[in-house]
Amino acid sequence: MKPHSLRYTLIFAVLAVLTLLGGGIWFLSGHNPAAWTASVPKEAKSPAVIPQQPVQSTLPEMFSPPESEALSQRVVEYHMDVQLQADTGTLTASETLTWTHPGSKPVQELYFHLYPNAFASGNTTFMKESGGTLRGDSMPAGGYGSITLTDLRTSEGISLMQRTQYVQPDDGNINDKTLLKVHLPQPVHGGESITVRLKFEVKLPKIFARMGTAGNFVMAGQWFPKISVYEPAGRRGLKEEGWNLHQYHGTSEFYSDFGIYNVTISVPPEYKVAATGFPVRNAKVVQGRKVYQFYADDVHDFAWAASPDFVVAEKAFSAPQVPGVRIKLYLDPLHKNLQERYFQAAEAALTAFSKWYGPYPYSTLSIVVPPESGNGAGGMEYPTLITAFGATAAPPGTSLERTIIHEIGHQYFYGMVGSNEFEEAWLDESFTSYAEDRLMEQEYGVASSLPLQSSLVSSSQPLKLETWKYSGDDAYTRNVYIRGKLVLKDIERIAGAKNMDTILAAYVRKYRFKHPSTADFQKIVEKVTKQSWQTYFDRYVYGGGAPDFAVDDIKLSTKRSGSDGDGDGVQYSAVVEVSNKGTLYPDVPVKFTFSDGYTVQQYWNGEGQSTSFELAYKAPLVSAEIDPGHTILLESRHLNNFRMAELEPRTLSRWTLSVTTLLETLLGTLVW
């Protein structure tokens, strides 16, 4: 995902084609890609040796990158050349990476994520944790894939192949080869840059988890050796700088540094390609193959998709806070007649999110609709490129719009606000789900049933957990997607909708193209509301707190007061005992209903684990209910919130209609 805000300025113009220099000659000529960044870092020293033949790039042409202000630190720069062999489902590629050390301590190793190795066998960490199933899609029989490094050298040609080692810092699984350590001949000091050149081959898996092939459809997500993130002291509250190292887990997504990508993609001539960034030039057929070249800056990932069956449509779009974006659709033929719905959803998302969270900073937004057999690649976000779920012949409901809106929301939360999805996934999924719900109700009148969703969170766990440490079936999904969103809605309820808008706008504005933490978000909440939220965050964010209210007992008594012309001359008293078996929560509403239909609502301050209410009225108490409006979203167990008093049959009969009405009202709130 790239740092995304919703609207992009068409920065297409001014791309001058230099000369037809081969990439290898270009690199050997001493050109330093880091010169494109705002500052020129020092080069890391290498030992004096006779250089071996360096890896040759096959980039057909070089070009001048667009002159624009750097929005991010641009720690990394990738130049990649990849060829798709469609008949075998393989990628053959070369990569030149320049990494600038953002810290201060000397670094003797580099670390690379080799994500395709997650699908190498049933014994990898990803496969063992996921069971070969992700979001309802399963690994097809014989669908394994992997990535193989065939060469790795310094820019001077020194081979590093014998200096590599697979590491498994999270679980020690020796069968997992998704993280590679490379020991360098010389250390890289703070502020210095190092350039390495790689050659690699990817055997694409059959699609079930974000990447792979389905027939002639290809989704290349997390397909290349990607350098890990080196975190300076101070980022995300870290006291010590160092590499952030994790394997590819069954529930984890990604974390990367912002930078520049220049990628050439060679495919069979009938294929059409969608990719991160914008095309440098029109695709050309060279020696019987179609060659695309894409460029993107201030992004932290690069993905692409290809198919001969894509139905392509484009539309230029602009709006307030959206200077100009070219929206591109790459539709499966089954959805060719739905292009207007995709465009409208994208326009609504770009308009609203740019208004709420700041302008979309890129000139393109590509939407890929996979075939039904490629559904495992659907519903995913990458910088300036998102995927819808696989197309089917059945008319889609509003899930079409919901998916597009959600994934475009990720252009902000994870894209521009580049959180660590290994360790604090809620900063991406919860925030995006919150924005998605708001826009779906505003644009399409579709409101989510939050009480029903809260009931799905059967095991409330801390939001700031490494993703693979959530315990229990679907605990990751239910906490990170649902509970985290409900926490944000609860903050909105407490702080007020206007303050919440200010909080989120300030948060995105401050951390665009940076890497914030949960603590950073807390500081924004406290700054806007001018009060401490430490207790709240300790209970419900850093802790897995959830209230669990119960009406424990109702004791009734009567007192004859003599004839007063109004009924039997009897005064009815009740003592209602309520408790909270979970985490403390203030201002708890309790509704009392009497047999003549009269209701009264009182509040419990939430202090202590229990309290009691004493009531006296001319009619008997029929029931007590805690939080009748389901405003306390963090409570997941509602069945014990309601209790009826033990009434005489005559009174109970008179009240049957009221109970029916109550149940109908309750069930009516559960439409998701």
Side-chain angles (χ1 to χ4, degrees):
M1 329 175 126
K2 155 141 190 156
H4 314 9
S5 41
L6 296 167
R7 270 353 135 80
Y8 218 153
T9 30
L10 284 156
I11 316 180
F12 281 99
V14 200
L15 295 178
V17 176
L18 292 180
T19 54
L20 294 172
L21 293 175
I25 297 175
W26 182 75
F27 284 115
L28 290 175
S29 67
H31 180 90
N32 179 11
W36 294 1
T37 60
S39 61
V40 181
K42 299 174 288 183
E43 287 291 336
K45 297 179 180 179
S46 296
V49 299
I50 299 175
Q52 303 178 34
Q53 182 64 29
V55 177
Q56 296 293 319
S57 169
T58 56
L59 293 177
E61 300 179 59
M62 297 314 300
F63 69 100
S64 296
E67 294 183 4
S68 60
E69 178 185 359
L71 302 176
S72 69
Q73 191 176 354
R74 296 186 180 179
V75 170
V76 293
E77 183 169 335
Y78 292 88
H79 294 267
M80 295 186 287
D81 180 22
V82 56
Q83 295 187 6
L84 167 65
Q85 307 300 330
D87 55 341
T88 60
T90 59
L91 306 177
T92 304
S94 62
E95 171 183 329
T96 298
L97 163 71
T98 298
W99 175 75
T100 302
H101 187 349
S104 59
K105 296 181 179 179
V107 168
Q108 192 78 48
E109 292 89 20
L110 301 180
Y111 290 86
F112 288 88
H113 293 289
L114 302 182
Y115 289 115
N117 280 340
F119 314 110
S121 75
N123 295 319
T124 69
T125 295
F126 183 98
M127 293 296 290
K128 290 173 68 176
E129 291 179 351
S130 69
T133 300
L134 188 68
R135 300 188 302 186
D137 293 294
S138 298
M139 165 75 83
Y144 294 120
S146 61
I147 182 171
T148 303
L149 279 182
T150 57
D151 199 21
L152 173 60
R153 298 176 185 273
T154 67
S155 57
E156 293 83 6
I158 303 169
S159 176
L160 302 175
M161 290 295 288
Q162 302 304 315
R163 293 172 169 265
T164 63
Q165 175 189 357
Y166 292 108
V167 293
Q168 302 84 19
D170 296 327
D171 64 3
N173 178 10
I174 61 173
N175 295 306
D176 190 81
K177 299 180 179 180
T178 57
L179 190 61
L180 182 74
K181 179 171 74 172
V182 181
H183 188 75
L184 299 172
Q186 294 289 334
V188 183
H189 296 275
E192 292 182 340
S193 292
I194 183 172
T195 297
V196 293
R197 297 176 181 167
L198 309 91
K199 287 185 177 181
F200 60 97
E201 295 178 354
V202 177
K203 172 59 179 173
L204 292 167
K206 300 298 182 184
I207 288 179
F208 94 100
R210 305 186 183 95
M211 71 170 294
T213 63
N216 56 17
F217 171 78
V218 173
M219 185 69 229
Q222 310 301 330
W223 56 280
F224 60 94
K226 183 192 294 186
I227 196 165
S228 299
V229 174
Y230 188 91
E231 297 186 299
R235 180 190 291 187
R236 299 193 310 116
L238 295 175
K239 296 181 179 180
E240 296 288 336
E241 65 179 78
W243 291 102
N244 187 268
L245 301 175
H246 296 296
Q247 299 154 241
Y248 194 7
H249 291 270
T251 52
S252 70
E253 292 190 19
F254 314 103
Y255 179 39
S256 309
D257 274 315
F258 293 103
I260 292 172
Y261 288 83
N262 177 30
V263 183
T264 298
I265 303 169
S266 171
V267 295
E270 67 275 15
Y271 273 66
K272 303 163 190 174
V273 174
T276 292
F278 59 84
V280 172
R281 57 181 63 80
N282 292 330
K284 296 181 179 180
V285 176
V286 179
Q287 298 180 347
R289 294 181 62 82
K290 188 181 291 186
V291 180
Y292 293 79
Q293 189 170 359
F294 293 89
Y295 174 85
D297 53 25
D298 300 312
V299 298
H300 51 67
D301 199 1
F302 186 97
W304 57 278
S307 172
D309 300 327
F310 281 147
V311 177
V312 181
E314 296 189 13
K315 186 176 182 180
F317 176 71
S318 63
Q321 299 295 315
V322 186
V325 179
R326 182 161 294 277
I327 304 172
K328 302 179 180 182
L329 302 182
Y330 297 83
L331 302 168
D332 180 83
L334 284 177
H335 276 197
K336 65 180 180 181
N337 296 324
L338 297 175
Q339 64 176 257
E340 193 55 37
R341 286 182 62 180
Y342 283 104
F343 277 131
Q344 288 177 357
E347 291 168 5
L350 288 171
T351 300
F353 296 153
S354 291
K355 177 182 178 181
W356 298 342
Y357 309 129
Y360 181 76
Y362 309 112
S363 62
T364 60
L365 174 66
S366 296
I367 301 172
V368 174
V369 182
E372 184 176 8
S373 59
N375 187 62
M380 189 58 192
E381 69 279 0
Y382 304 95
T384 76
L385 183 149
I386 65 171
T387 62
F389 281 108
T392 65
T398 54
S399 60
L400 183 155
E401 285 78 10
R402 183 176 289 279
T403 302
I404 296 304
I405 286 170
H406 182 91
E407 304 310 337
I408 292 177
H410 273 305
Q411 300 294 304
Y412 283 85
F413 302 107
Y414 165 72
M416 279 183 285
V417 182
S419 307
N420 183 338
E421 288 193 298
F422 292 118
E423 299 176 5
E424 298 182 86
W426 89 286
L427 292 176
D428 307 305
E429 298 299 350
S430 301
F431 283 59
T432 298
S433 296
Y434 172 93
E436 165 208 325
D437 273 7
R438 180 182 178 187
L439 185 54
M440 283 299 295
E441 184 167 8
Q442 171 184 298
E443 193 71 19
Y444 298 99
V446 178
S448 295
S449 174
L450 300 181
L452 175 60
Q453 292 184 29
S454 70
S455 70
L456 299 176
V457 187
S458 55
S459 174
S460 182
Q461 299 178 39
L463 295 176
K464 191 182 175 183
L465 271 186
E466 293 167 327
T467 62
W468 56 96
K469 292 185 178 178
Y470 284 95
S471 58
D473 291 342
D474 295 327
Y476 163 75
T477 300
R478 297 183 183 193
N479 280 275
V480 169
Y481 284 79
I482 298 177
R483 181 173 172 270
K485 176 184 69 175
L486 296 176
V487 165
L488 294 176
K489 291 293 293 183
D490 198 50
I491 293 173
E492 176 190 293
R493 185 185 73 85
I494 298 169
K498 186 175 180 180
N499 272 339
M500 191 62 175
D501 289 347
T502 302
I503 287 167
L504 291 176
Y507 174 64
V508 177
R509 182 172 61 250
K510 183 176 179 63
Y511 292 107
R512 280 167 69 103
F513 305 104
K514 295 183 176 66
H515 306 280
S517 68
T518 299
D520 293 321
F521 173 64
Q522 179 186 337
K523 291 175 184 176
I524 296 293
V525 175
E526 293 176 336
K527 182 176 181 180
V528 171
T529 60
K530 298 181 173 59
Q531 64 186 52
S532 172
W533 284 72
Q534 191 62 50
T535 298
Y536 184 93
F537 272 69
D538 285 342
R539 289 174 180 170
Y540 303 113
V541 178
Y542 306 124
D548 180 13
F549 302 113
V551 180
D552 296 318
D553 193 21
I554 299 177
K555 293 185 175 72
L556 300 179
S557 61
T558 60
K559 179 181 180 183
R560 188 166 297 278
S561 59
S563 177
D564 58 4
D566 185 14
D568 299 329
V570 175
Q571 185 178 58
Y572 297 88
S573 299
V575 176
V576 180
E577 297 178 359
V578 300
S579 65
N580 181 357
K581 305 179 187 307
T583 309
L584 295 180
Y585 196 95
D587 301 325
V588 184
V590 185
K591 178 182 177 182
F592 304 97
T593 301
F594 297 86
S595 63
D596 63 354
Y598 176 71
T599 63
V600 63
Q601 183 165 287
Q602 298 187 24
Y603 285 85
W604 174 26
N605 61 15
E607 295 178 2
Q609 294 297 320
S610 64
T611 192
S612 61
F613 294 86
E614 296 184 7
L615 304 102
Y617 185 61
K618 64 183 180 180
L621 181 70
V622 172
S623 68
E625 182 180 10
I626 300 176
D627 189 28
H630 302 291
T631 58
I632 302 175
L633 299 174
L634 301 184
E635 184 182 19
S636 61
R637 298 177 176 88
H638 298 101
L639 290 179
N640 57 354
N641 286 28
F642 177 83
R643 190 180 187 94
M644 293 186 64
E646 294 182 1
L647 300 178
E648 298 177 1
R650 182 167 61 97
T651 306
L652 185 60
S653 175
R654 289 200 306 265
W655 204 65
T656 301
L657 181 60
S658 298
V659 174
T660 303
T661 303
L662 173 66
L663 291 174
E664 288 176 347
T665 302
L666 175 61
L667 293 174
T669 68
L670 301 186
V671 179
W672 199 336

